[in-house]
Amino acid sequence: MTRSFEHHIRLGVNIDHVATIRNARGGRHPDPLRAAHLAVEAGADGITAHLREDRRHISDTDIARLKSELTRPLNLEMAATPEMLAIALRHVPNACCLVPERREERTTEGGLDVVGQRQSLVPIIADLKSAGIRVSLFIEPDVRAIEVAAALHADIVELHTGAYCEYAAADDAKGVAHEVSRLAKAAAEAAAAGLEVHAGHGLTFNTVAPLARMPEVVELNIGHFLIGEAIFGGLHAAVRRMRALMDEARLKVAGRVSA
C-alpha cells in the first residue's frame, strides 16, 4: 500500500535554555535571538520557544523580538490559559503548541490531558485558529488523545517522546522497543485522522533516528540537548549534526515508502 511521504523532515530548535543561562546572571547575554539565527543558518526549519507563566527562561520581550526578526516560523509553546492566549493573539506566531504546565516541574513532564480538559480547550483553539495561528497539541502517543485532538480540530499533534528517551538513557532495550512501536502506531493513527504529526522531548543524537524514520512524522522539536552540546562544540555544529542524522535516517526509509 502506498502512502504520502515527505522526504524532508523539519527540525525545530527550541532556544529556551539559552534564556535559562542568560537569566542565571541577568542582563542580555547569551541572547536567545542570536541563538535562533545561528540555528537557522545551521539548518533549522523553525524555532520553538516556551513562554512559561513564571518566565523562568523565555521572556515576553524575547517573544516579541523572535516574532519580528526571525526568518523562519516561530512555534510558541504555551499553557492553555487566558494570559497566554492574549499574548499569542498579540504576536500571532506561525503556530502555538498547547502544553501542560506546573510551576514545580523542572521541565514539561508529560502530554496535555486533552481528554480531561476538552471543554476548556475548545474556545482557546477556536480563538487561535480564527487569528490564523496553527494549533498543535502536545500529547502522549495514545489513541484516545489523538481522537480528541482531531475532534477539537487541532492542526497538529506533537507526540511526547520523553518515555522513549528515558528508556534509551537507561539502556533498556525492551522499553525502547515498546515505546518506538507505540510512537509509530500513534503517528500512523494521527496522520490517518488528518493531523500533522510532530514529535519531541528529550531527543538526542543517539535517539533521533527512529523518529526520523517514521514516515508520518514531519517535524521534530529538539532543544535542551542541542543547547547542552553547544557548550562543547558550538550551536552551529550541534544543529548541523542533528540535521544530518535526521536526513540520513529519512533517506534510509525513503526508498521503502512510495511517494
Side-chain angles (χ1 to χ4, degrees):
M1 183 175 70
T2 62
R3 50 183 168 177
S4 178
F5 179 71
E6 285 288 338
H7 287 76
H8 178 76
I9 180 170
R10 299 194 301 265
L11 170 60
V13 174
N14 185 312
I15 44 83
D16 289 353
H17 295 297
V18 176
T20 299
I21 298 170
R22 175 197 62 193
N23 295 353
R25 188 162 183 171
R28 299 183 63 179
H29 180 78
D31 182 7
L33 180 60
R34 182 183 177 191
H37 286 315
L38 283 171
V40 169
E41 288 174 11
D45 299 284
I47 298 297
T48 292
H50 183 176
L51 185 65
R52 280 182 170 265
E53 180 187 22
D54 60 11
R55 308 307 198 264
R56 68 178 64 171
H57 36 61
I58 293 296
S59 70
D60 297 71
T61 300
D62 291 330
I63 296 298
R65 293 179 66 217
L66 287 164
K67 180 59 175 67
S68 68
E69 298 186 40
L70 268 183
T71 59
R72 292 291 187 276
L74 173 63
N75 174 37
L76 173 62
E77 290 187 342
M78 55 178 261
T81 65
E83 179 197 17
M84 291 300 156
L85 175 61
I87 291 169
L89 294 178
R90 182 160 67 249
H91 294 293
V92 192
N94 177 70
C96 283
C97 184
L98 302 182
V99 301
E101 187 175 311
R102 296 187 301 116
R103 284 202 176 198
E104 62 270 26
E105 67 186 0
R106 289 187 178 184
T107 185
T108 305
E109 295 176 344
L112 186 67
D113 179 13
V114 293
V115 177
Q117 298 180 36
R118 180 171 182 165
Q119 293 307 313
S120 63
L121 290 170
V122 168
I124 293 175
I125 292 172
D127 286 349
L128 291 171
K129 287 175 72 73
S130 292
I133 300 169
R134 303 188 77 210
V135 176
S136 175
L137 301 177
F138 184 71
I139 63 171
E140 292 298 318
D142 173 78
V143 175
R144 182 58 179 150
I146 291 165
E147 291 173 348
V148 173
L152 286 168
H153 303 294
D155 301 290
I156 305 158
V157 288
E158 181 169 341
L159 302 177
H160 179 226
T161 57
Y164 157 61
C165 293
E166 288 174 6
Y167 281 123
D171 292 321
D172 184 337
K174 184 177 180 180
V176 166
H178 173 76
E179 286 301 318
V180 168
S181 175
R182 185 173 173 235
L183 285 159
K185 181 180 178 182
E189 289 171 344
L195 295 159
E196 184 172 301
V197 185
H198 299 182
H201 197 81
L203 294 172
T204 69
F205 293 149
N206 294 330
T207 57
V208 72
L211 273 299
R213 284 195 292 263
M214 294 177 189
E216 299 84 4
V217 176
V218 302
E219 180 173 308
L220 297 176
N221 284 297
I222 306 172
H224 182 267
F225 175 78
L226 289 173
I227 304 308
E229 284 298 298
I231 294 171
F232 304 105
L235 183 59
H236 195 276
V239 173
R240 281 187 65 84
R241 183 178 176 194
M242 187 64 79
R243 172 78 270 163
L245 290 168
M246 290 168 57
D247 291 342
E248 180 183 356
R250 202 66 159 191
L251 284 171
K252 286 182 179 179
V253 75
R256 302 198 297 271
V257 181
S258 301

